[in-house]
Amino acid sequence: MENIQISEALIEAARNVKRVSGLTHDFYKYPARFSPSFVREAIQAFTQPGDTILDPFAGGGTTLVEAHAAGRNAIGTDINSLACFVSKVKTSRLTKKDISAVRQAVEQITEAPLPSWIREEVVDSHYKHHMEAVGTWRLRHFFEFVVASSNTLPPRGRDFIRVVALRTGQWALDNRKVIPNLAEARIKFRLNASSMLDGMRAYTEAVAAGRNVDINKPKAINRSVIGIEQDRRFIGVTPQLVLTSPPYPGVHLLYHRWQIKGRRETAFPYWLASSLDGQTASYYNLGSRHEAGLKTYFAGIQESFKSIAALCNHETLVVQMLAFSEPDWQLPEYLQTMKAAGFQEAVQADARIWREVPNRKWYTNVTTSENTKMEVVLFHRLSPHPLTPPN
Ligand SMILES: C[S@@+](CC[C@H](N)C(=O)[O-])C[C@H]1O[C@@H](n2cnc3c(N)ncnc32)[C@H](O)[C@@H]1O
């Protein structure tokens, strides 16, 4: 099997640390998001219009957005319902009618006084935990009003407004030293809605420009990648490219919570997205970072890639970006796990792309966080002689 060629443009894009922006990428700051420029470059380098791209750990949907905008079929899975909700909204184009309904609702939400019924609501829900403190309850009222107002809209408009609320709520509450007041939140809500409508317009134009090929609507499926080969929705799906970023070994990311004033965690984003919560951090991270040898993590990666292998053919390229808390032992273990799942590297070891990541906020077990600031891009194909034959 021949090694693939990696262009300078791809290396440069992989190392690009500019702020994530463009199209619908700004809709929500999903933890450990891909850099869209890297995703775009990888799609251009390794696929043709009309091809199929799979992101089995799709998160906030960066791959799905870029793939669809480039005229490729895009399909993804994620176990986090919040991630799938955000991905769905980012890849669902709005009609003119939806846009005018959204504009009207934003006008009403940001101009009207908060109705008094909202103040009477009792905070009894798991989803509103830590949203009752001084400084946050007024914003909670505002978001309750937003959600109530969005419920009268057609489904796409309603979900769009909910993502405006998610973006505004994340800005207002998550890891903020000073929580903004109601007036500031209203202004931000309006600004977010306006820039998100611009992003949606750019996305719609990009999709329309690629209309010369026949492609399906992008799909973000809320399920584990483990077992997709037995899921009817994946019958006939053979990706030319698997482009993904799995949970990182030994690194714990808070995919499912906002942190209010320090470590007080809230599931409020799920309430805004009308999505089901109920799992712990280790569920989304494929295991606990405290476990000796990260046995659960590596077993999860092996099972995941065995399922992915069952969909691939020998032409499929698997490109993944990941970081290690302790690369010295975790990288060899990861590569061994990929082998056991039926893959082999498609580049020489010295051609792997490494990049430094500034300002990443995550938790690891090691006291020096130097290594966690490095991410690597790995390239694999199905092995002609798999250790374990695909199912
Ligand atoms: C590093 S994030 C992906 C971020 C994504 N590349 C983006 O641009 O937003 C990893 C994702 O894997 C998901 N995940 C963890 N275990 C999974 C599993 N068994 N099946 C599918 N997704 C899983 C997590 O919920 C998380 O969203």
Side-chain angles (χ1 to χ4, degrees), residues 19 26 29 106 109-110 139 142-143 146 163-173 176 180-196:
R19 210 175 66 83
D26 277 340
K29 287 189 182 155
V106 170
I109 288 164
T110 51
L139 293 184
F142 173 64
F143 290 118
V146 171
V163 179
V164 181
L166 274 173
R167 180 176 172 181
T168 311
Q170 190 181 42
W171 163 84
L173 297 163
R176 279 286 289 240
N181 64 30
L182 177 60
E184 290 165 332
R186 276 192 154 130
I187 292 170
K188 191 68 175 179
F189 183 87
R190 188 186 269 271
L191 290 173
N192 283 343
S194 162
S195 74
M196 286 166 67

Side-chain angles (χ1 to χ4, degrees), residues 240-256:
Q240 277 72 31
L241 177 66
V242 177
L243 182 54
T244 199
S245 170
Y248 305 150
V251 174
H252 160 113
L253 280 163
L254 220 46
Y255 293 110
H256 69 316

Side-chain angles (χ1 to χ4, degrees), residues 3-47:
N3 282 335
I4 54 151
Q5 294 302 315
I6 300 175
S7 68
E8 280 305 315
L10 185 66
I11 297 174
E12 206 177 294
R15 296 197 173 137
N16 180 339
V17 289
K18 279 201 208 117
R19 210 175 66 83
V20 174
S21 67
L23 303 178
T24 55
H25 293 301
D26 277 340
F27 279 25
Y28 187 70
K29 287 189 182 155
Y30 196 78
R33 289 174 299 164
F34 258 146
S35 130
S37 51
F38 167 69
V39 172
R40 191 171 301 176
E41 206 55 57
I43 290 172
Q44 294 304 334
F46 303 122
T47 63

Side-chain angles (χ1 to χ4, degrees), residues 30 32-34 56-60 62 78-80 224-225 245 247 255 284:
Y30 196 78
R33 289 174 299 164
F34 258 146
F57 302 96
T62 316
D78 201 292
I79 41 169
N80 187 352
S224 170
V225 56
S245 170
Y255 293 110
Y284 299 108

Side-chain angles (χ1 to χ4, degrees), residues 20-30 33-34 36 58-66 68-69 82-94 156 159-160 163 166 196 199-204 207 218 220:
V20 174
S21 67
L23 303 178
T24 55
H25 293 301
D26 277 340
F27 279 25
Y28 187 70
K29 287 189 182 155
Y30 196 78
R33 289 174 299 164
F34 258 146
T62 316
T63 303
L64 305 183
V65 168
E66 285 293 331
H68 190 49
L82 177 64
C84 292
F85 177 74
V86 169
S87 293
K88 187 180 96 187
V89 175
K90 284 165 78 173
T91 53
S92 298
R93 286 168 290 154
L94 299 178
R156 285 186 178 205
D159 291 348
F160 184 89
V163 179
L166 274 173
M196 286 166 67
M200 185 49 83
R201 190 176 318 117
Y203 178 69
T204 305
V207 173

Side-chain angles (χ1 to χ4, degrees), residues 188 326 355:
K188 191 68 175 179
E326 297 171 60
R355 73 162 193 160

